[in-house]
Amino acid sequence: MGRYKDAARYRELLDGCTAYAEEHGLFDLTLRPLAEDLGTSTRNLLHHFGSRELLVEAVVDRVRASYLDMSRELIFRIRCLAEESEQRSGPEAVADVIAEGLNLAWAEASTPSGRRRIALFFEIYSAAARDPGLRESFLRPAVDEWLTPMADAIERAGASTGAARSIAARIVAVHRGLLLEYLALGPNGDTQSAHDDAVVAARAEILAGTLPTVSDFAAEAK
């Protein structure tokens, strides 16, 4: 019978593994340098995680959970808007909450610790493009947890289902593209201006997408 795995020690090691991956990368890590950095042994890591592959999976799960936790306030507010009455979830309110959320996420990513977390997030994000398992366990939740509540709120504010999802998808894609550019280039005026303009454009697109169209008026006339 194997030794009992201490849950608190497991969480402590997982915190350390995640911090190490933020600094050095995840998928090329080897256990010996990791163990030395954490002041433990490879044997202890294998005791708690089972294998290098399972350790990597645990870090991926932690990064996904942390990313969604970081976004939970925005996601919660967007979901509330989608569930409230039409009057309280009007286009202006939806646009304001989403714009605020994009700015908050950008500010978080602009800190040194935020940049390290975003670097690890994008390392896993890009790996998921070639790994069906990661695509299902990491990429889809990371996209859907933002896109779906955002699209629901935009639809409740007056956009069609297709238009709402299209607007939300563009907002998420542009935001993440600019985060990746910021990560690659570091703080710079061009990327910051592009982010500021993208938030203004997102807000305008939400308001324009929730306006009645000619086809809407035609449908009402029938």
Side-chain angles (χ1 to χ4, degrees):
M1 181 181 294
R3 290 185 296 130
Y4 174 70
K5 296 180 178 63
D6 185 292
R9 179 57 176 156
Y10 174 87
R11 289 192 296 271
E12 181 183 356
L13 286 171
L14 182 55
D15 289 343
C17 292
T18 304
Y20 181 90
E22 288 175 356
E23 289 284 353
H24 303 283
L26 177 60
F27 293 105
D28 291 330
L29 70 76
T30 54
L31 293 183
R32 189 176 299 279
L34 172 61
E36 291 176 356
D37 187 82
L38 298 181
T40 187
S41 65
T42 57
R43 180 178 180 181
N44 193 35
L45 290 176
L46 291 172
H47 167 68
H48 282 88
F49 294 98
S51 67
R52 176 193 174 279
E53 290 71 24
L54 291 175
L55 185 154
V56 169
E57 287 182 17
V59 173
V60 168
D61 290 342
R62 166 62 65 84
V63 171
R64 182 184 63 243
S66 298
Y67 177 78
L68 297 179
D69 283 347
M70 186 176 66
S71 310
R72 67 186 182 278
E73 181 178 354
L74 171 63
I75 293 169
F76 175 75
R77 293 182 65 187
I78 291 174
R79 287 190 186 280
C80 286
L81 284 171
E83 293 168 1
E84 289 175 357
S85 65
E86 182 176 349
Q87 182 178 1
R88 295 187 63 196
S89 59
E92 290 280 350
V94 172
D96 287 345
V97 168
I98 291 174
E100 178 186 356
L102 294 172
N103 283 324
L104 288 173
W106 186 264
E108 164 64 22
S110 300
T111 65
S113 60
R115 289 193 68 195
R116 290 192 295 270
R117 284 193 292 271
I118 290 298
L120 182 54
F121 173 84
F122 278 119
E123 181 184 358
I124 302 170
Y125 200 95
S126 60
R130 293 188 176 91
D131 186 323
L134 275 179
R135 189 178 303 127
E136 291 301 319
S137 67
F138 184 88
L139 191 56
R140 290 194 185 280
V143 172
D144 290 343
E145 285 293 327
W146 270 69
L147 192 152
T148 298
M150 190 182 296
D152 289 346
I154 296 170
E155 182 179 359
R156 182 62 63 90
S160 67
T161 300
R165 291 196 67 83
S166 179
I167 292 169
R170 282 194 295 278
I171 291 172
V172 173
V174 169
H175 175 68
R176 288 184 177 164
L178 288 170
L179 282 177
L180 185 58
E181 181 178 288
Y182 177 83
L183 182 66
L185 300 180
N188 67 90
D190 289 341
T191 308
Q192 181 63 53
S193 295
H195 161 73
D196 295 341
D197 290 344
V199 173
V200 172
R203 192 177 188 284
E205 187 170 16
I206 291 168
L207 295 176
T210 54
L211 292 174
T213 65
V214 172
S215 58
D216 293 329
F217 286 123
E220 289 180 6
K222 294 178 180 179

